Amino acid sequence: MTNTEPHERLALAFRHVQFEDLGIIEPLLRERGYRVQYVDLGIEAIDIEGVDDADLLIVLGGPIGVNDTDGYPLLHASKEAVAHRLRSGKPLLGICLGAQLIAEGLGAEVRPTGAVEIGYMPLDLTVAGLDSPLRPLDGLPVLHWHGDAFTIPAGASHLASTPEFPNQAFSTDTVLALQFHLEADHRTIGRWLIGHAHELHHNGIDPRIIREDARAYGPKLESAARAAITSWLDIVERSTPAA
């Protein structure tokens, strides 16, 4: 008897800290028939064969930088895995640290800025961004939580900016890199505020403001984020059909 059941896609996510998970993206992936699997970096080793087998690789954020390899040697394996994935041409989504690892893997510069951008602030899309899956996000406050910045890799499309961090997103045929946290779930923002309490205090940022902004902007942002990620998945799934 011939098996006619559809192929179950695998979404593999590299996670650096527990509370920076797939957030609102995870239910969307499950709705589209993906099986979601996390690799908790610093605890679990990266299996390159698993990276190859994944239909989608997502590299999430974390409070370390791409240049912190002396203190966090796990970054060596992350960089190798991202470079391997880039060579494969298979779909790859990077968020914050993940986007920075992709930028470095494509030959761009990633460096500390000496400043931070933390909280909900509007995103401005470039001309290319307005013609991209990110279009629903134009002008919307999104969650920023970064201090490092990347340049746009050669050959990539520059999609979004803010006044302080002009390089907020870029894409290639099967890659989407986001400096900001499109995945963050406004309903669980309290985990972020607790997990990053020291950083907030050090930078004089009131967690109450972020909490209130999450309530105010979260529902509309979630709808726009789902639309953006859905549009991107539609594109990359057409270019890389399931086996």
Side-chain angles (χ1 to χ4, degrees):
M1 185 180 200
T2 303
N3 182 5
T4 58
E5 291 185 7
H7 169 75
E8 182 184 46
R9 295 179 183 267
L10 171 63
L12 185 66
F14 289 176
R15 180 167 55 186
H16 298 90
V17 288
Q18 287 289 317
F19 61 85
E20 292 197 32
D21 57 19
L22 286 167
I24 63 172
I25 295 177
E26 185 164 345
L28 172 59
L29 292 173
R30 295 190 187 280
E31 289 164 18
R32 293 179 72 97
Y34 282 88
R35 175 170 61 89
V36 175
Q37 179 181 333
Y38 286 97
V39 178
D40 286 308
L41 302 182
I43 301 172
E44 300 176 82
I46 294 173
D47 175 12
I48 287 295
E49 288 187 7
V51 172
D52 278 334
D53 290 342
D55 297 280
L56 171 64
L57 177 65
I58 305 166
V59 185
L60 296 165
I64 55 177
V66 298
N67 299 310
D68 295 338
T69 50
D70 287 345
Y72 301 92
L74 64 92
L75 286 166
H76 291 295
S78 297
K79 293 182 181 189
E80 290 173 7
V82 167
H84 184 83
R85 186 72 178 188
L86 288 168
R87 289 192 296 270
S88 77
K90 295 179 179 179
L92 172 60
L93 171 62
I95 296 173
C96 198
L97 173 58
Q100 294 161 11
L101 287 165
I102 293 171
E104 184 183 69
L106 290 173
E109 179 187 10
V110 183
R111 60 177 180 80
T113 65
V116 295
E117 188 172 49
I118 298 175
Y120 286 84
M121 284 159 272
L123 194 66
D124 294 318
L125 298 189
T126 64
V127 172
L130 288 170
D131 192 35
S132 80
L134 299 189
R135 183 179 180 87
L137 304 175
D138 189 42
L140 282 182
V142 300
L143 181 62
H144 301 270
W145 212 301
H146 44 255
D148 291 0
F150 52 72
T151 57
I152 302 298
S157 296
H158 179 203
L159 303 179
S161 68
T162 60
E164 298 300 320
F165 284 75
N167 298 328
Q168 288 281 352
F170 64 85
S171 66
T172 67
D173 288 343
T174 56
V175 172
L176 180 62
L178 308 175
Q179 176 81 294
F180 50 93
H181 288 277
L182 192 60
E183 85 293 0
D185 188 335
H186 60 281
R187 290 169 290 258
T188 58
I189 196 66
R191 295 190 301 168
W192 289 64
L193 301 179
I194 295 168
H196 291 303
H198 177 75
E199 184 179 24
L200 293 173
H201 177 75
H202 177 75
N203 289 286
I205 297 170
D206 189 338
R208 292 173 294 185
I209 295 174
I210 299 175
R211 191 179 296 113
E212 288 303 316
D213 284 349
R215 291 193 188 103
Y217 305 128
K220 184 175 181 180
L221 178 57
E222 179 176 4
S223 177
R226 283 180 62 94
I229 295 298
T230 294
S231 178
W232 181 71
L233 288 171
D234 286 345
I235 293 169
V236 295
E237 286 173 5
R238 283 197 299 269
S239 65
T240 55

